[in-house]
Amino acid sequence: MGRAALLTAAVGLVLALAACGVLGTAPPSTTAETSPAASPASESTTPSGWQTFTTSDGLAFDYPPDWTARDPGDALGGASVDVTNAAGKPMAHLRTNIVTGAECSEQYPYRVFDSQAVQALARPGAADRTVPRYVFESRGDGTGPIQTQTTTAAYGITMMPEESGSLACPMFLMFLWPPSGALFGSAYNPANNLTPGEASLPYLEKAKLYAGTPEYREIRTMITSLRPAKTAG
């Protein structure tokens, strides 16, 4: 299976569409209330007992002791790591050596459930505004209980500046990493992400509730621990 097909299958709708700069066909004339809830931009502290995974191309991250991080290898090069929880549910995907590019042909209603700078991934000499950020955000304003092509949420690392106003460009959950770019995150899926509340709740309301759960906090701690691996010397 080629890298493009693997990315689409493993990472899910949001991140695959982000790679193309497209989110769907939500009408840009429809606005929804934004709900930014930024977290302090401090370095995350790894809990005691967590494991560390190091990729062959120089990235490292920490993850809970009862979770699994696995890279089966990829003939095209780069990391292809899937992280699952103790129940075997996918929590996040790390991909490197992928092409990055953003296009903003339309804008959409959006919400920001969480945002935190990831200083360890800042490029040398970069201004503060270019520091990659961890985000949990959504696009669209549908009221149904499940993710759709026009209403979806995802968490991961972005190199895009913070949005302002009532509409935003499509999600672009990727960042620069040699030789091209990388992503670390996942689409929010109530079937995988343990969320309190009734199954009939609107999808975006579930995403908001999920942002307050212990499982989500573990995901955020894991993703924001991503950093260049220490080299022997």
Side-chain angles (χ1 to χ4, degrees):
M1 181 181 293
R3 178 165 290 276
L6 176 64
L7 177 65
T8 302
V11 180
L13 179 67
V14 175
L15 299 181
L17 292 180
C20 303
V22 178
L23 182 60
T25 56
S29 60
T30 302
T31 60
E33 180 183 357
T34 62
S35 56
S39 297
S42 58
E43 296 293 327
S44 60
T45 301
T46 302
S48 176
W50 280 35
Q51 308 173 76
T52 299
F53 188 97
T54 302
T55 71
S56 60
D57 51 3
L59 282 170
F61 66 89
D62 306 315
Y63 62 102
D66 57 345
W67 291 14
T68 300
R70 179 174 179 268
D71 184 351
D74 189 322
L76 296 180
S80 179
V81 185
D82 296 322
V83 182
T84 55
N85 65 11
K89 300 288 187 179
M91 295 287 98
H93 313 278
L94 173 62
R95 303 288 185 264
T96 64
N97 194 27
I98 58 176
V99 176
T100 63
E103 179 182 338
C104 188
S105 57
E106 291 187 82
Q107 292 187 310
Y108 309 90
Y110 77 102
R111 297 184 186 181
V112 178
F113 305 110
D114 199 359
S115 178
Q116 177 180 329
V118 185
Q119 296 288 346
L121 296 177
R123 296 173 65 83
D128 289 344
R129 63 183 178 85
T130 62
V131 172
R133 293 181 299 120
Y134 167 84
V135 293
F136 181 21
E137 58 185 5
S138 69
R139 296 294 186 273
D141 57 359
T143 58
I146 62 173
Q147 174 192 35
T148 69
Q149 287 190 339
T150 58
T151 299
T152 191
Y155 46 80
I157 298 173
T158 182
M159 61 184 182
M160 304 303 289
E162 293 186 36
E163 301 284 357
S164 61
S166 59
L167 298 175
C169 293
M171 281 185 276
F172 186 77
L173 298 184
M174 296 186 183
F175 59 96
L176 297 177
W177 181 256
S180 51
L183 65 84
F184 192 18
S186 183
Y188 165 68
N189 182 353
N192 296 326
N193 303 104
L194 187 60
T195 307
E198 298 293 330
S200 59
L201 286 174
Y203 171 79
L204 294 180
E205 183 61 27
K206 292 175 185 175
K208 182 178 179 181
L209 290 172
Y210 185 64
T213 64
E215 181 181 271
Y216 171 74
R217 289 192 290 272
E218 288 186 312
I219 289 173
R220 180 180 60 187
T221 298
M222 175 181 69
I223 295 178
T224 58
S225 76
L226 189 68
R227 60 201 181 269
K230 293 181 179 179
T231 57

